[in-house]
């Protein structure tokens, strides 16, 4: 019987030895001795992934075309799902997987979050829209628990390893049981990437009750019952994006409740289900709240921070979703190429096609390496923060130690997550298109499913923060870090320079060459941005020269080249991770060599682009700016 877990040796490598399960196991045990030992826990989690792999291969993948053609429709104010997705979610409810990572007392299996991400890949390989809708179940229940812990409304009895109470218990249990699901409502008709422009409002009445009003659009699974809504509660100072973000608060809003007969009483209006290019089994909804009762989460003005907590996990989720789609593209491409004869042999034996398929396979492993890293850092950071909150005394040394460790991991997760989201989603589109190309003419028809993959892939670089926004985040984080840590950066630069030239091992030299190229790009951009401020000062002296630096005004060249830099940073991050694996597990060296072989020349190209292009566009933009604002001095 087909099984997407069993047939994927690279994924199994992580479950069997690549992931250090020990710390995650210890943390999950904090809320109940669900497992007798680490070995038993690992076996259970592997069995669950095996089950999901089998389910996806046999109950989702064979119905991908059906899922694609059965569109969801708006009827009598509610969304009517297609028959196939209804069947699949009835089956998933029976399997009980919505509570995979929830504590046992909330109906879950107490598994680490990383098992959810791996299961997301398995489901997405069957069909991405099924995976997406699934993600708005357990992921949202877990978010309810996370937010309640964050605001201090969850209590635990550590001695007996019990969750005593949590604010959104009823809502979370409703989701875990498969009766309901959640949604994430950020985007509005006039505010997507620019969250400071959000206009939905949260209002407090005289009795101390909150309501939200406003229209949200493009809400995935937006016909769900429980919505995390970000809305403005504090006025903004005209045109100042900082106050725009600080004035946002975060709410849990129910769009309907049920009467005694189980009928829905709507508290918000579903306006529209989008007619999209792909992702057809996943409803994308526009809806309007009008003084809909809401529960404030955390403090007023905390909305942007809380929304980012949710989005970090969601972005890692898109990484694994993209990976599942790429695995699907590889499956279809290999099957077709092995059967289709051309010029005396099957096309998989032609050099170019063999190279195409090899590149896709290497990249799938590369993305998984980065995804597992991001997921692991993020999860451990969150769990250490929990430990600090529940286990350590307020103000104790132990609390400080746990928080310091958590922040370190959080920073590592923050560095790799935008790169994962960027690279995996862009590759999903590229390889969706490549899959069509490998199929030739039939790829352009609906018969083989290749064009569906391309259509499904195209939203991946758009939602959960576009590729451009991910690149800008990565660029800003990296350059600002260099400014604050110029001496450490100078040391890293020297080490990379030395190892890339003098190490005795060729692979080590190549990995460090890629890192060096990424660093040189950053040095070049810093010099370009700050040439006037820095003059000819050495890198190690930059920190003290940057007192009056304003990233919003001064980053223009780096904003222009943010995507090129993101590509370099991604190649450096993946090469480093695969190299780390190769040193620990010699059987991984071959993969590292295969990745580096392509990453090194393309990194040289990206650096060349950064060094030689962009001046003309910047001059044009500055010219336009000068015309619009004549009193502003233009460099
Ligand atoms: C199928 C689907 C499902 C979705 N699900 C959800 C959901 O569940 N919840 C939710 O809240 N939203 C959801 N969205 C919305 C999605 O997150 C937004 O579409 C996305 O953030 C982009 O916003 P926008 O469409 O307003 O584009 P814009 O922000 O207008 O951007 C348009 C283009 O300009 C670029 N751009 C914008 N600013 C900059 C800049 N400073 N520098 C360089 N380039 C820039 C963008 O990258 C993009 O290429 C979904 C969208 C789709 C299509």
């Amino acid at each position: 019987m087909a099984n997407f877990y069993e047939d994927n040796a690279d994924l199994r490598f992580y479950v069997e030895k690549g992931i250090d399960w020990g710390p995650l196991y210890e943390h999950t045990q904090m809320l109940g001795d669900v497992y007798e030992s680490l070995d038993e826990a690992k076996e259970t989690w592997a069995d669950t992934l095996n089950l999901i792999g089998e389910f996806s291969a046999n109950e989702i993948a064979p119905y991908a075309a059906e899922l694609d053609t059965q569109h969801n429709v708006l009827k009598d104010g509610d969304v009517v799902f297609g028959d196939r997705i209804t069947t699949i979610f009835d089956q998933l409810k029976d399997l009980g997987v919505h509570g995979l990572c929830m504590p046992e007392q909330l109906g879950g299996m107490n598994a680490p979050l990383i098992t959810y991400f791996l299961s997301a890949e398995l489901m997405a390989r069957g069909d991405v829209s099924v995976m997406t809708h699934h993600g708005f179940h357990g992921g949202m229940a877990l978010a309810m628990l996370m937010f309640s812990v964050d605001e201090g409304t969850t209590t635990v009895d550590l001695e007996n390893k019990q969750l005593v109470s949590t604010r959104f218990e009823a809502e979370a249990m409703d989701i875990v049981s498969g009766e309901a699901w959640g949604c994430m409502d950020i985007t509005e008709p006039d505010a997507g990437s620019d969250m400071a422009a959000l206009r939905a409002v949260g209002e407090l009445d005289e009795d101390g009750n909150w309501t939200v009003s406003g229209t949200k659009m493009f809400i995935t699974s937006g016909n769900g019952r429980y919505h995390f809504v970000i809305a403005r509660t504090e006025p903004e100072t005209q045109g100042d994006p900082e106050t725009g973000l600080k004035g946002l608060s975060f709410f849990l809003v129910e769009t309907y409740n049920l009467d005694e007969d189980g009928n829905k009483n709507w508290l918000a209006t579903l306006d529209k289900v989008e007619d999209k290019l792909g992702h057809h089994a996943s409803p994308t909804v526009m809806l309007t709240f009008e003084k809909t009762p809401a529960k404030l989460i955390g403090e007023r003005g905390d909305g942007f921070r809380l929304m980012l907590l949710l989005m970090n996990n969601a972005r890692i989720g898109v990484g694994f979703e993209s990976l599942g789609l790429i695995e699907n593209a590889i499956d279809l491409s290999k099957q077709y190429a092995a059967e289709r004869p051309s010029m005396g042999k099957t096309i998989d034996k032609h050099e170019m096609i063999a190279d195409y398929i090899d590149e896709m396979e290497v990249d799938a492993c590369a993305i998984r390496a980065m995804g597992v890293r991001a997921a692991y850092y993020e999860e451990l950071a969150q769990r250490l923060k929990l430990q600090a909150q529940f286990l350590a005394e307020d103000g104790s040394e132990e609390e400080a130690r746990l928080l310091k460790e958590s922040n370190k991991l959080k920073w590592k997760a923050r560095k790799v997550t935008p790169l994962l989201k960027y690279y995996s989603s862009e590759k999903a589109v590229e390889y969706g298109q490549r899959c069509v190309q490998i199929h030739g003419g039939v790829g352009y028809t609906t018969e083989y499913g290749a064009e569906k993959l391309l259509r499904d892939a195209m939203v991946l670089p758009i939602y959960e923060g576009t590729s451009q926004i991910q690149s800008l985040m990565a660029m800003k984080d990296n350059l600002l870090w260099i400014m604050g840590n110029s001496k450490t950066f100078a040391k890293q630069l020297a080490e990379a320079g030395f190892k890339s030239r003098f190490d005795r091992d060729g692979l080590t030299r190549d990995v460090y060459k890629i890192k060096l190229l990424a660093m040189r790009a950053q040095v070049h951009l810093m010099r370009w941005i700050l040439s006037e401020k820095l003059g000819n000062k050495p890198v190690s002296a930059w920190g003290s020269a940057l007192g009056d630096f304003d990233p919003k005004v001064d980053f223009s060249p780096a904003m222009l080249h943010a995507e090129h830099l993101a590509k370099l940073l991604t190649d450096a991050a993946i090469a480093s991770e695969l190299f780390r694996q190769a040193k620990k597990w010699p059987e991984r060296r071959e993969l590292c060599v295969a990745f580096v072989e392509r990453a090194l020349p393309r990194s040289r190209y990206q650096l060349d682009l950064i060094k030689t292009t962009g001046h003309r566009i910047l001059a044009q933009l500055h010219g336009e700016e000068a015309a619009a604002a004549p009193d502003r001095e233009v460099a």
Side-chain angles (χ1 to χ4, degrees):
M1 189 183 266
N3 186 320
F4 289 163
Y5 176 73
E6 277 183 358
D7 75 5
N8 191 331
D10 191 69
L11 198 162
R12 279 188 288 106
F13 157 78
Y14 288 101
V15 177
E16 286 158 17
K17 55 179 163 178
I19 294 172
D20 180 7
W21 292 104
L24 297 179
Y25 168 73
E26 294 296 329
H27 288 281
T28 53
Q29 292 292 89
M30 221 175 98
L31 283 183
D33 285 322
V34 182
Y35 309 100
E36 296 272 313
S37 65
L38 172 61
D39 283 343
E40 188 201 298
K42 274 168 63 177
E43 207 180 304
T44 311
W45 299 333
D47 285 348
T48 309
L49 290 170
N50 198 319
L51 185 77
I52 294 171
E54 188 183 310
F55 182 80
S56 184
N58 298 291
E59 304 298 336
I60 303 177
Y63 303 104
E66 217 173 277
L67 287 160
D68 189 40
T69 47
Q70 294 178 351
H71 293 213
N72 304 302
V73 289
L74 190 64
K75 199 171 165 206
D76 302 329
D78 198 355
V79 172
V80 180
F81 282 108
D83 289 344
R84 179 52 58 184
I85 191 140
T86 304
T87 306
I88 289 173
F89 276 82
D90 285 346
Q91 290 168 306
L92 285 172
K93 192 167 147 183
D94 292 343
L95 283 180
V97 291
H98 294 316
L100 181 64
C101 305
M102 289 295 279
E104 206 183 13
Q105 287 148 280
L106 297 179
M109 284 175 62
N110 220 7
L113 190 55
I114 203 162
T115 55
Y116 162 73
F117 288 123
L118 298 175
S119 74
E121 177 195 330
L122 295 168
M123 276 199 201
R125 187 168 154 195
D127 180 88
V128 277
S129 51
V130 170
M131 177 255 145
T132 306
H133 188 51
H134 171 67
F136 282 90
H137 287 72
M140 292 293 131
L142 203 60
M144 287 171 178
L145 181 60
M146 178 178 78
F147 288 133
S148 169
V149 168
D150 187 81
E151 67 174 11
T153 53
T154 293
T155 46
V156 295
D157 170 0
L158 286 171
E159 224 164 279
N160 297 309
K161 301 192 173 185
Q162 291 277 326
L163 183 76
V164 178
S165 67
T166 184
R167 183 179 174 196
F168 305 117
E169 182 167 342
E171 293 90 337
M173 299 268 293
D174 201 17
I175 292 178
V176 169
S177 68
E179 292 302 321
W181 62 91
C183 321
M184 185 171 73
D185 300 19
I186 304 164
T187 309
E188 297 175 6
D190 292 319
S193 306
D194 182 6
M195 287 190 207
L198 290 170
R199 288 289 166 267
V201 290
E203 293 165 306
L204 186 64
D205 70 15
E206 288 164 354
D207 302 322
N209 298 315
W210 284 97
T211 57
V212 296
S213 302
T215 296
K216 295 284 179 183
M217 76 182 296
F218 292 144
I219 306 306
T220 302
S221 306
N223 50 333
R225 180 166 183 177
Y226 303 109
H227 290 236
F228 287 117
V229 178
I230 188 163
R232 182 165 302 286
T233 53
E234 324 301 320
E236 118 193 69
T237 310
Q238 198 58 37
D240 181 349
E242 280 299 310
T243 57
L245 292 177
K246 281 182 190 146
L248 300 169
S249 297
F250 209 59
F251 297 92
L252 183 63
V253 184
E254 279 185 53
T255 46
Y256 64 84
N257 53 35
L258 296 175
D259 67 18
E260 284 169 2
D261 301 323
N263 300 314
K264 293 176 183 172
N265 294 317
W266 285 97
L267 306 167
T269 310
L270 305 189
D271 302 313
K272 181 179 171 194
V273 181
E274 301 294 343
D275 190 6
K276 305 177 303 236
L277 192 60
H279 250 79
H280 284 151
S282 150
T284 308
V285 176
M286 181 190 265
L287 75 164
T288 299
F289 301 100
E290 218 176 310
K291 295 222 176 272
T292 307
K295 292 174 183 162
L296 178 71
I297 301 177
E299 303 284 327
R300 290 172 77 133
D302 227 5
F304 187 62
R305 180 183 73 84
L306 294 172
M307 193 273 310
L308 283 185
L309 277 181
L310 193 61
M311 267 199 140
N312 282 343
N313 285 332
R315 284 176 179 158
I316 296 172
V318 177
F320 283 93
E321 178 180 8
S322 304
L323 180 55
L325 189 141
I326 291 169
E327 287 289 353
N328 195 342
I330 295 171
D331 289 341
L332 295 188
S333 300
K334 281 172 81 172
Q335 276 161 26
Y336 187 77
E339 284 166 11
R340 174 72 179 169
S342 171
M343 300 177 201
K345 51 189 174 187
T346 53
I347 57 172
D348 59 348
K349 299 287 183 293
H350 287 288
E351 293 78 358
M352 246 187 289
I353 306 292
D355 186 45
Y356 286 168
I357 291 173
D358 178 80
E359 189 183 19
M360 289 159 87
E361 291 187 314
V362 170
D363 259 335
C365 297
I367 291 167
R368 191 173 295 108
M370 191 165 42
V372 168
R373 223 58 203 147
Y376 194 81
Y377 290 145
E378 182 70 32
E379 175 162 18
L380 212 50
Q382 286 173 19
R383 290 190 182 274
L384 283 169
K385 200 169 157 209
L386 271 182
Q387 265 204 342
Q389 195 164 335
F390 290 122
L391 288 183
E393 264 179 46
D394 278 358
S396 65
E397 269 183 31
E398 178 62 359
E399 186 192 48
R401 187 191 66 77
L402 288 167
L403 287 177
K404 191 173 165 201
E405 189 58 26
S406 166
N407 286 338
K408 241 164 73 183
L409 288 161
K410 189 89 202 152
W411 169 243
K412 286 184 176 181
R414 184 181 163 130
K415 276 187 91 172
V416 74
T417 302
L419 302 180
L420 168 71
K421 163 75 174 64
Y422 170 76
Y423 191 76
S424 60
S425 61
E426 291 291 331
K427 284 290 166 190
V429 176
E430 187 182 335
Y431 294 155
Q433 197 252 338
R434 188 175 288 182
C435 180
V436 171
Q437 190 67 21
I438 287 174
H439 282 73
V442 297
Y444 198 63
T445 71
T446 53
E447 205 179 328
Y448 284 74
E451 54 78 47
K452 171 186 181 287
L453 287 188
L454 177 58
R455 285 187 286 108
D456 281 348
M458 286 192 67
V459 78
L460 300 171
I462 295 174
Y463 64 19
E464 303 299 353
T466 64
S467 284
Q468 291 67 39
I469 298 300
Q470 304 309 305
S471 305
L472 289 171
M473 280 171 56
M475 177 277 291
K476 279 188 192 158
D477 271 355
N478 277 276
L479 295 195
L480 288 174
W481 180 85
I482 293 174
M483 286 181 198
N485 300 273
S486 57
K487 286 190 179 145
T488 312
F489 180 70
K491 265 192 221 157
Q492 290 174 355
L493 197 60
E495 186 199 10
F498 185 82
K499 289 205 169 169
S500 65
R501 293 179 66 193
F502 302 117
D503 200 281
R504 281 164 47 194
D505 172 45
L507 180 60
T508 309
R509 284 201 301 278
D510 284 352
V511 168
Y512 277 93
K513 275 181 200 159
I514 295 171
K515 288 178 171 209
L516 187 63
L517 289 164
M519 287 184 199
R520 283 199 180 136
Q522 293 171 82
V523 170
H524 179 81
L525 288 172
M526 292 293 289
R527 287 204 189 280
W528 187 355
I529 296 165
L530 303 166
S531 51
E532 286 192 17
K533 286 191 178 81
L534 296 177
N536 283 329
K537 288 191 174 68
V539 171
S540 57
W542 283 359
S544 56
L546 294 168
D548 61 343
F549 178 80
D550 179 356
K552 284 196 200 77
V553 179
D554 296 325
F555 265 35
S556 207
M559 292 199 195
L560 179 103
H561 282 304
E563 187 168 0
H564 301 137
L565 182 63
K567 289 182 182 175
L568 276 156
L569 292 168
T570 309
D571 277 339
I574 294 174
S576 300
E577 171 54 19
L578 293 179
F579 187 57
R580 183 192 72 81
Q581 292 183 7
K583 283 197 287 186
K584 193 162 179 192
W585 299 285
E587 71 270 24
R588 304 289 287 175
R589 189 176 165 97
E590 202 181 325
L591 172 63
C592 185
V593 170
F595 180 78
V596 163
E597 179 185 283
R598 293 186 179 98
L600 182 54
R602 71 178 170 233
S603 293
R604 289 196 193 104
Y605 165 69
Q606 293 303 331
L607 177 60
D608 202 10
L609 273 179
I610 290 176
K611 282 189 162 175
T612 57
T613 67
H615 297 268
R616 185 174 52 83
I617 301 295
L618 287 185
Q620 272 175 22
L621 288 174
H622 287 179
E624 282 168 19
E625 225 173 80
D631 55 349
R632 180 162 166 207
E633 212 175 291
V634 177

